[in-house]
Amino acid sequence: MPTLLDGESLVTSELFDAASGRVGRAGELPNPDISLRLDPVLDAALAGFAANLPASRIVSDLAAALHVLRRTSSPQDWKAMAIACRAHPVGDLLRQDPFTGRSAGKPRGYSGDAELLDIFYKHPSADEVVNNASTIGRAIYEHTSEVPSSEAGRERCRLLAANVDEACQRVGSNAQILAVAAGHLREAEICASLDKKRILRWVALDQDPLSIATIRTNHAGTPIEAVEGSVLGLLRRSYDLGTFDHVYASGLYDYLTAKTGAKLLGRLCEMVAPGGTLLFANYSDEIVSDGYMESFMDWPLILRSEADMRFIVEATPETEEFSAEYFYGANRNIVYAKLTRDLPISTASSEHAICYI
């Protein structure tokens, strides 16, 4: 049964189009000549498979061409192209890739679900679906799982774990952590602080009950507390969660407008303890797999630059009590904003004085 969305977590194509302004003006129709630009690209990919060319070469060339088409077309033309891509015969081959197929099929009713992330994380839980794919599907997966955007996603998981460890080193053995839109919380599996019992409480919030069930099963008997909840619930203050030494949202902002993102950021800032940190991430507007993701994978994202991240932070009044830094991952496919809440003046002064005793 598809997961019901709250109207603020924009993870379906229809909600994305409405939120991101990627639809044309009323009454505006796509250019009837778009097939002249698109058909040769799709037909070349299909011919490549028929000629048994390497899947990596076929998909790489296809993704590069779709990236150019996406960036050089009007919103309404690109939307029509994306729909045409999914209807073309080459789509049947591409969907044999477990990564592409899971995204296009949306068995949970929305894009970017936790099992999809496990597939490109190369998590052991995804081994069966990968091994059961067709020969062509596995060959395509060997490419799609290694493109820069996929590697950036795996790096993000490692970075999340490192930031939790950093917070625990700062606080000691009683650190409190909040993960928003936690998915399967795979970063916990590589977090040294969890094994060393430095975490007092790690709240994993997600609106998908299946993801919540997975977290509860995998982390029973640990300080990890899985809570079913949504962006809308956070904004309405529906959950009494308290404050935290580190708060993070790793993939949620890819689906939120700047306005909703700023509202959520303000609420999350309220949940950060003095001296605590807040991290949120977004796929950057420098990725080149955007056209393939939006067409054959039916996985649209709101891509952002460092300036876009800065805009969200600066549009949030609650961040006045925070210092902010912005940085990209190693291949610049994901951009991060990390905020640190100021310590109270009395505390900061005392610590400063102690340093000179």
Side-chain angles (χ1 to χ4, degrees):
M1 180 178 179
T3 300
L4 297 177
L5 303 178
D6 63 19
E8 294 289 346
S9 304
L10 305 174
V11 289
T12 66
S13 297
E14 294 79 11
L15 286 172
F16 174 85
D17 287 338
S20 63
R22 293 288 302 279
V23 293
R25 293 184 295 273
E28 195 167 21
L29 298 175
N31 187 332
D33 295 328
I34 61 172
S35 61
L36 297 177
R37 302 173 62 202
L38 180 64
D39 287 354
V41 171
L42 303 182
D43 292 343
L46 187 61
F49 281 115
N52 292 317
L53 296 179
S56 60
R57 172 181 163 186
I58 297 169
V59 180
S60 178
D61 290 348
L62 174 61
L66 292 173
H67 171 69
V68 172
L69 287 172
R70 179 186 182 275
R71 297 297 174 100
T72 58
S73 302
S74 67
Q76 65 273 16
D77 281 0
W78 170 246
K79 184 172 178 63
M81 288 183 186
I83 294 171
C85 284
R86 294 192 284 274
H88 191 275
V90 76
D92 293 332
L93 296 171
L94 294 170
R95 284 187 289 272
Q96 293 182 43
D97 163 25
F99 188 18
T100 302
R102 174 85 189 188
S103 180
K106 294 178 177 49
R108 293 195 185 179
Y110 66 96
S111 300
D113 66 71
E115 289 195 12
L116 175 69
L117 300 189
D118 283 349
I119 291 173
F120 83 76
Y121 280 168
K122 299 187 175 182
H123 190 270
S125 66
D127 287 349
E128 182 177 0
V129 68
V130 172
N131 293 336
N132 288 340
S134 67
T135 300
I136 290 177
R138 289 194 301 274
I140 297 171
Y141 173 73
E142 289 178 5
H143 175 75
T144 57
S145 64
E146 290 296 336
V147 297
S149 56
S150 293
E151 173 51 38
R154 292 190 290 271
E155 180 195 43
R156 181 182 62 189
C157 185
R158 298 190 296 268
L159 188 146
L160 297 179
N163 272 263
V164 171
D165 286 336
E166 180 184 287
C168 292
Q169 288 180 341
R170 184 182 71 247
V171 175
S173 60
N174 294 312
Q176 300 193 60
I177 311 296
L178 171 62
V180 181
H184 286 163
L185 202 74
R186 294 305 185 193
E187 59 272 16
E189 299 174 11
I190 56 173
C191 181
S193 298
L194 187 62
D195 286 338
K196 294 178 181 179
K197 303 186 184 305
R198 293 177 175 172
I199 298 175
L200 176 65
R201 185 173 64 126
W202 189 340
V203 175
L205 184 84
D206 199 280
Q207 74 172 35
D208 189 329
L210 296 177
S211 295
I212 291 297
T214 297
I215 294 173
R216 287 173 178 164
T217 298
N218 292 346
H219 298 287
T222 74
I224 293 173
E225 175 188 353
V227 176
E228 188 174 337
S230 65
V231 171
L232 190 58
L234 284 170
L235 295 176
R236 289 177 172 173
R237 293 175 168 77
S238 300
Y239 322 115
D240 184 15
L241 300 177
T243 59
F244 300 86
D245 301 296
H246 181 60
V247 174
Y248 65 95
S250 61
L252 180 58
Y253 274 77
D254 296 316
Y255 309 102
L256 301 179
T257 64
K259 181 179 179 180
T260 300
K263 287 181 180 178
L264 177 62
L265 183 60
R267 176 69 185 111
L268 296 181
C269 284
E270 296 172 355
M271 303 171 75
V272 178
T277 50
L278 189 162
L279 178 77
F280 69 101
N282 211 115
Y283 266 98
S284 85
D285 58 2
E286 298 183 24
I287 70 170
V288 296
S289 53
D290 50 354
Y292 183 87
M293 292 173 68
E294 290 187 15
S295 57
F296 289 104
M297 299 183 80
D298 192 18
W299 190 8
L301 301 176
I302 298 177
L303 306 175
R304 291 191 164 97
S305 64
E306 179 181 325
D308 295 327
M309 301 289 273
R310 190 182 299 272
F311 175 84
I312 291 174
V313 172
E314 293 178 352
T316 307
E318 291 84 353
T319 62
E320 293 180 359
E321 298 180 10
F322 292 75
S323 58
E325 61 176 310
Y326 307 89
F327 59 95
Y328 285 86
N331 63 20
R332 296 185 65 87
N333 273 224
I334 295 181
V335 59
Y336 298 86
K338 185 173 183 179
L339 286 67
T340 302
R341 186 164 196 167
D342 300 335
L343 286 166
I345 295 177
S346 58
T347 303
S349 299
S350 298
E351 291 187 354
H352 188 269
I354 291 171
C355 290
Y356 288 92
I357 290 177

